[in-house]
Amino acid sequence: MKLTFYGGVKEVTGSNYVVEHDGVKIMIDCGLIQGGYFSEERNWEPFAYNPKEIAAVFLTHAHIDHSGRLPKLVKNGFRGKVYSTPPTRDFANLLLLDSEHVMLQAAERLKKQPLYTILDIEQLMTLWEGMPYHQPLIIGPFKITLFKSAHILGSAMVLVEAGNRNLLFTGDLGNSPAPLLGVPDTLENHNVDYCVVESAYGDRIHPPEKVGVIEDLIENTFKAGGVLMIPAFAMERTQKLLFEINELVENNRVPRVPIFLDSPLAIKITEVYKRYKDYFDKATLKLLKGEDHMLFDFPGLKKTLTTEESRAILAVKPPKVIIAGSGMSQGGRILHHEKNYLPDPNSAIIFIGYQAKGSLGRRIQEGVATVTIHGETVLVRCHILSVEGYSAHADQKQILEWLAPMRFTLKQVFAVQGEEDQSQALAHRVVNDLAIRAEIPEIGKSYEL
């Protein structure tokens, strides 16, 4: 087998790897390169390989930094099959369609032709097939099997077997045990020789999760008669948050206040979650068999799909809770609510996801006195809080503990999908703690396995 790294090296985004054996090429992930902007100019560069020569693509999960260049791959001649778990296929379709208009804006900013069109997405979906966990698929000389990674619903690790060598791609490993998802599969019995492992948090340990933060915030918002604003990412973070609030409401641990899910994409993604309950962990399935049959539909929750419904939220008197995108306050409906309620000292905003440097969310998080929203200067007087326990990525300790059972068969680990310092820190610990050779590959470099 020959493994070549075409993306996701020394940076978190742009995951893209090609494996070749006996003249057959398969690909794992084809993600969008992101940075200061949603889409970086490098995405418009030609692929360093011929898309027509790729027999199949295996997608670890639906996030855009793993799936975002698949329509471009099709536009450039790829006609093989794309395989992933069924939830990943449905999520990716929604995320790619939702991102298309943002990509058009990026093309205009860069004075380039659109990276792809809606028609390219539609053609991509005709090539896409669902593939369950643990059921091997033969593509030429390769045997490929998907395993649960517990990052988001349907996320997978990809085990590639050929030429008496076993190569494992982790995709993104979950911060486990994760609500709804549980823990990643362990593969110590699969004689893994090489592992391409994510390292987004390879240099740190997650702080202990602050138990009861959301409960306290809802109670405090009720007492103060204010508004609790939660900028949320439509995929995974919102569903975890709804799951937590669902538990609080069902067990009468918080006062009944109107709770608005004001994100069309998050609403659509949540419906996909409902369709794939078999992918939940045992604890969640047990819960669903009890009295709580409606996992994401609890008393007081209002989903606002239309613009008119979103605008009507303003007419609902506080106290109330508003969950809306985007997660970094860089756009979306959350901006309208922030403009209305950031000046209110009785209200609060909580950040449950990473806020990139330069984003509006980051500036609010850092405590600026004013921000500009839709051209207007807005005072920031509300309470500001941040919770890190909602990360969906494994930290350094979790990655090492997951790798440890495979240390007797692993010949080499490649640290990817992290900034260089993060990858380097993880690689150093793999060598020192597990006595396994570890390397940060270079972009475009090939390895004979």
Side-chain angles (χ1 to χ4, degrees):
M1 268 197 292
K2 184 169 78 171
L3 165 64
T4 307
F5 293 86
Y6 289 110
V9 173
K10 300 180 181 178
E11 60 184 336
V12 176
T13 65
S15 176
N16 190 211
Y17 318 104
V18 172
V19 185
E20 184 176 0
H21 188 63
D22 285 351
V24 179
K25 295 179 182 179
I26 62 171
M27 179 183 291
I28 287 77
D29 288 348
C30 193
L32 199 71
I33 303 166
Q34 299 175 291
Y37 291 97
F38 179 87
S39 178
E40 292 293 294
E41 189 169 1
R42 284 179 291 155
N43 292 298
W44 273 263
E45 295 175 1
F47 287 116
Y49 44 79
N50 185 352
K52 296 177 182 178
E53 295 178 355
I54 306 299
V57 178
F58 293 85
L59 195 68
T60 60
H61 64 287
H63 281 151
I64 289 296
D65 58 325
H66 291 257
S67 67
R69 282 187 291 168
L70 282 172
K72 178 188 174 185
L73 196 74
V74 170
K75 184 177 182 178
N76 285 220
F78 170 75
R79 293 299 180 268
K81 291 289 186 181
V82 178
Y83 297 95
S84 73
T85 65
T88 293
R89 182 187 187 278
D90 289 0
F91 288 140
N93 189 32
L94 288 172
L95 292 173
L96 290 169
L97 289 171
D98 185 74
S99 300
E100 189 265 344
H101 73 283
V102 184
M103 297 301 295
L104 283 177
Q105 293 171 357
E108 291 174 2
R109 171 175 58 85
L110 296 168
K111 295 180 172 56
K112 295 181 179 293
Q113 291 296 314
L115 197 64
Y116 53 79
T117 67
I118 293 288
L119 291 177
D120 296 315
I121 299 173
E122 291 174 350
Q123 186 170 7
L124 166 66
M125 300 316 295
T126 67
L127 304 174
W128 202 315
E129 295 187 6
M131 181 178 170
Y133 293 134
H134 310 136
Q135 293 186 19
L137 178 70
I138 304 298
I139 301 287
F142 297 104
K143 181 170 82 170
I144 298 98
T145 313
L146 303 184
F147 294 89
K148 176 183 172 183
S149 71
H151 172 59
I152 60 176
L153 195 75
S155 61
M157 296 177 275
V158 181
L159 179 64
V160 180
E161 302 176 66
N164 298 318
R165 288 289 179 266
N166 294 351
L167 167 62
L168 178 66
F169 296 86
T170 66
D172 287 348
L173 285 172
N175 178 9
S176 61
L180 304 173
L181 306 178
V183 300
D185 286 338
T186 55
L187 281 84
E188 63 265 35
N189 297 324
H190 291 270
N191 298 315
V192 177
D193 299 296
Y194 299 89
C195 184
V196 178
V197 65
E198 77 132 313
S199 58
Y201 287 84
D203 63 344
R204 70 196 74 177
I205 307 297
H206 293 315
E209 188 167 344
K210 297 177 182 178
V211 178
V213 172
I214 298 298
E215 180 178 0
D216 292 343
L217 278 171
I218 293 176
E219 289 174 347
N220 293 341
T221 299
F222 179 79
K223 291 175 184 176
V227 177
L228 175 58
M229 296 169 283
I230 309 178
F233 298 91
M235 180 84 208
E236 191 275 328
R237 302 285 170 89
T238 292
Q239 289 73 40
K240 182 177 179 181
L241 183 64
L242 289 175
F243 179 76
E244 184 174 341
I245 297 175
N246 182 87
E247 288 288 279
L248 295 173
V249 171
E250 291 291 336
N251 290 287
N252 297 312
R253 290 172 53 187
V254 292
R256 295 292 174 92
V257 297
I259 298 173
F260 295 94
L261 178 56
D262 192 27
S263 167
L265 180 60
I267 293 168
K268 293 172 185 175
I269 285 175
T270 302
E271 291 303 310
V272 176
Y273 267 74
K274 292 180 183 180
R275 291 203 297 269
Y276 291 105
K277 294 177 181 177
D278 290 347
Y279 284 78
F280 294 155
D281 67 334
K282 291 181 180 179
T284 305
L285 291 173
K286 184 178 180 180
L287 177 68
L288 289 173
K289 290 179 181 178
E291 295 181 0
D292 187 3
H293 297 293
M294 305 299 287
L295 190 61
F296 299 112
D297 289 299
F298 46 84
L301 178 64
K302 172 68 174 176
K303 299 173 184 176
T304 51
L305 267 173
T306 68
T307 303
E308 290 73 20
E309 289 173 319
S310 177
R311 288 173 178 163
I313 295 174
L314 182 61
V316 178
K317 293 182 179 181
K320 57 190 173 186
V321 178
I322 303 171
I323 305 165
S326 68
M328 296 185 192
S329 299
Q330 283 295 89
R333 295 179 177 181
I334 192 65
L335 294 177
H336 300 279
H337 306 300
E338 288 174 346
K339 187 162 66 172
N340 289 323
Y341 299 113
L342 284 176
D344 179 14
N346 292 321
S347 294
I349 185 168
I350 180 169
F351 296 101
I352 61 172
Y354 176 73
Q355 304 298 304
K357 187 176 181 180
S359 66
L360 177 61
R362 180 68 167 265
R363 297 199 296 277
I364 296 171
Q365 190 180 47
E366 291 176 342
V368 296
T370 63
V371 293
T372 301
I373 299 177
H374 299 148
E376 297 181 22
T377 299
V378 179
L379 294 173
V380 182
R381 290 175 174 168
C382 69
H383 298 281
I384 303 165
L385 301 99
S386 301
V387 178
E388 296 185 34
Y390 285 82
S391 173
H393 289 264
D395 63 14
Q396 184 188 81
K397 182 173 182 288
Q398 291 169 324
I399 295 170
L400 291 171
E401 289 176 348
W402 179 82
L403 281 169
M406 298 185 287
R407 64 188 181 278
F408 300 112
T409 63
L410 276 172
K411 296 174 177 61
Q412 187 166 357
V413 167
F414 300 98
V416 298
Q417 292 157 223
E419 300 297 337
E420 187 169 3
D421 289 348
Q422 298 159 351
S423 297
Q424 191 63 57
L426 179 65
H428 179 75
R429 289 294 302 272
V430 169
V431 172
N432 285 358
D433 295 13
L434 304 179
I436 302 169
R437 182 182 175 188
E439 183 174 341
I440 305 173
E442 296 292 335
I443 196 77
K445 186 173 181 179
S446 296
Y447 294 80
E448 298 287 344
L449 306 183

